Amino acid sequence: MNMSMLGIIDATAHSQNIDDLIQNRSMAAIPFGGRYRLIDFVLSNLVNSGVDSVAIFPKYQYRSLMDHLGSGKEWDLNRKRDGLFFFPSPHLHDEYDEFGSFRQFKDHFDYFKRSRQEYTVITNSHTVCNIDFCKVLKHHIEMGCDVTEITKEGNSLQMYVLKTSLLKDLISSYDNNGFTTLNQVVNEGRSQLNICEYAYNGYVSVIDSIQSYFRYSLDLLKPEVWKELFPKAAPIYTKVKDEPPTKYLKSSYVRNSMIANGCRIEGHVENSIIFRAVHIGKDTVIKNGIIMQKSTVGENCVLDNVILDKDVKIGSHEVLKGTMEHPIVLRKGSVQGVLIKS
């Protein structure tokens, strides 16, 4: 039995609810978990499931996504045959805004025609989980399904499995059959196709707002969530960066936090996620904070329930206090207060 799968990642999602973090990047490229980007999870899931041909369809602000993915080397997708493909939207047409737009797929139809894989997995780029698509495909075949939708507690995860031949038929005839997106096929095509559901019971977080980003980021500090999301048998891959170990000075205090490499910690960090190359000044207290790469926080600051995007600089004696429901967000490259000399 041919169990080979083609991987399609629809990275066109663009939500105003997370606008502060996507001013200069797509949702797929949002930093997450200290060293990852959101797309790392679905891309690693595909690779761990034996998928060796993955096509990514972005629309907005995808330069940083391309920089992160490069040739696909970290995911073993830099191959002479198959590998990683990048298909940006040739137009900013509204039809591309909906997940699984057949018009966007048709603009790159040659890729589908050349593909030899019998089945296709289509997924969004901002669902964080560790799922084995081989188990979904096995369920799909055994149940004789036309399209299998993966759900969590009854809610769609925007992940689907179907035969590549069916997908090509839907794409080539989308302007005549009445279905312009895969969502329409699943929701309105039940009288014509056998639409099945695969209930996934593992940990899932869908990042589509500042609140969900903040809540699910801090979820990673829970040992049970970390164990489920990062099993040794199915690692999550990301772009490798060489950084020295983090330096903890005598004045530092760290509790229940995730600290990436290359940081300099002089203050108090609690229940927080600190990305690479961050500097936390002396006598500064950070609680429930997400501090992204290369940000600098001066001395004697108090930061509680905050998200600092990349390259944010905060001077000394600053106080920023948000709430768990409404964290304070400083956009990439922001400067707050009088900067310390470094």
Side-chain angles (χ1 to χ4, degrees), residues 292-342:
M292 294 189 197
Q293 192 172 348
K294 296 182 180 177
S295 289
T296 300
V297 183
E299 298 181 354
N300 292 293
C301 294
V302 177
L303 276 59
D304 194 354
N305 291 306
V306 298
I307 300 172
L308 307 189
D309 205 331
K310 289 177 65 176
D311 297 315
V312 168
K313 299 186 186 308
I314 296 181
S316 298
H317 306 287
E318 293 294 317
V319 177
L320 297 173
K321 289 189 175 181
T323 65
M324 290 297 289
E325 292 74 24
H326 299 286
I328 291 175
V329 183
L330 296 188
R331 291 183 175 183
K332 182 180 178 181
S334 299
V335 177
Q336 181 91 16
V338 179
L339 297 181
I340 58 176
K341 293 182 180 179
S342 60

Side-chain angles (χ1 to χ4, degrees), residues 219-268:
D219 257 4
L220 299 178
L221 299 175
K222 300 174 182 176
E224 65 274 19
V225 171
W226 181 268
K227 185 177 180 181
E228 194 163 349
L229 204 50
F230 298 96
K232 290 183 179 179
I236 302 299
Y237 304 100
T238 190
K239 182 178 181 180
V240 174
K241 293 183 178 179
D242 295 325
E243 298 275 4
T246 286
K247 186 173 184 179
Y248 299 90
L249 278 74
K250 289 184 178 178
S251 58
S252 66
Y253 175 83
V254 177
R255 180 182 180 186
N256 190 37
S257 296
M258 186 186 302
I259 312 285
N261 289 347
C263 298
R264 179 181 174 90
I265 309 295
E266 301 182 64
H268 178 120

Side-chain angles (χ1 to χ4, degrees), residues 32 41 45 127-131 152 157 200-207 212 215-220 222 224-230:
F32 187 76
F41 292 85
N45 289 172
T127 296
V128 174
C129 63
N130 198 315
I131 185 170
K152 172 72 175 181
L157 297 181
Y200 179 62
N201 295 319
Y203 176 84
V204 171
S205 59
V206 179
I207 311 296
S212 61
R215 180 172 69 252
Y216 292 130
S217 291
L218 295 183
D219 257 4
L220 299 178
K222 300 174 182 176
E224 65 274 19
V225 171
W226 181 268
K227 185 177 180 181
E228 194 163 349
L229 204 50
F230 298 96

